[in-house]
Amino acid sequence: KAGVTQTPRYLIKTRGQQVTLSCSPISGHRSVSWYQQTPGQGLQFLFEYFSETQRNKGNFPGRFSGRQFSNSRSEMNVSTLELGDSALYLCASNLRVAGELFFGEGSRLTVL
Amino acid sequence: KQEVTQIPAALSVPEGENLVLNCSFTDSAIYNLQWFRQDPGKGLTSLLLIQSSQREQTSGRLNASLDKSSGRSTLYIAASQPGDSATYLCAVIWNYGGSQGNLIFGKGTKLSVKP
């Protein structure tokens, strides 16, 4: 059974650009959530989607957005990138809301 | 404010030792608690999930306990091996009335098992 797949794994952008990250959940999982991980702040919740609806949103500026498609795949977008957006972005899926979470390998974003 | 705390931030032990990692959380109205492992530069691997109605869960050499009244969970690792070296993260979902919030993570304990 395939795990959570995130693409791209690594990317480098410059300030002011935008980026789109993709996440394919485990087959049958309808809930997808996103987290940002930095050395200083640790893991912080970005948002959660269930059946194409945003169920929960963390305390991040509006530059961070996401969506979920009918096949449960999810994307997150960060516009007008800042140096502080450099982080490992992790996607997780679960079979049901608040169930056991399974994480992908992450997308490491570097903003220069 | 709901928070998850893990102490110590780092731990080094010799191979073969039994060890305990600690996690404390504010507010006992949790829905569940999950322990993860993270290797450098990698994603998180789920180790154990404890529902609020449970006291402990076991998987191989790992045993996690939950004491809601004291706001604590422990992860016990028996007969530690160098391959257990990683960062261990504790995360909690709290109840909000009839619904559940998102997962709140501790900062983790970085474990090093020396051969």
Side-chain angles (χ1 to χ4, degrees), chain A residues 12-26:
Chain A
I12 300 173
K13 295 285 186 178
T14 56
R15 279 181 297 174
Q17 288 187 310
Q18 73 157 9
V19 66
T20 299
L21 308 177
S22 178
C23 172
S24 294
I26 291 172

Side-chain angles (χ1 to χ4, degrees), chain A residues 9 35 37 40-43 45 55-56 88 90 96-101 103-105 108, chain B residues 31-32 34 36 38 41-44 46-47 49 51 89 93 99-103 105 107:
Chain A
R9 290 291 315 280
Y35 293 82
Q37 186 176 33
Q41 298 298 318
L43 274 152
F45 171 75
R55 180 180 168 271
N56 235 332
L88 180 66
L90 291 163
R96 59 176 180 84
V97 168
E100 185 176 7
L101 270 181
F103 280 81
E105 292 291 319
R108 182 164 296 282
Chain B
Y31 181 77
N32 64 36
Q34 197 167 352
F36 295 89
Q38 186 175 31
K42 302 285 189 179
L44 278 64
S46 175
L47 296 174
L49 170 70
Q51 300 292 349
L89 294 142
I93 290 179
S99 64
Q100 293 78 44
N102 52 273
L103 208 58
F105 282 86
K107 292 288 178 71

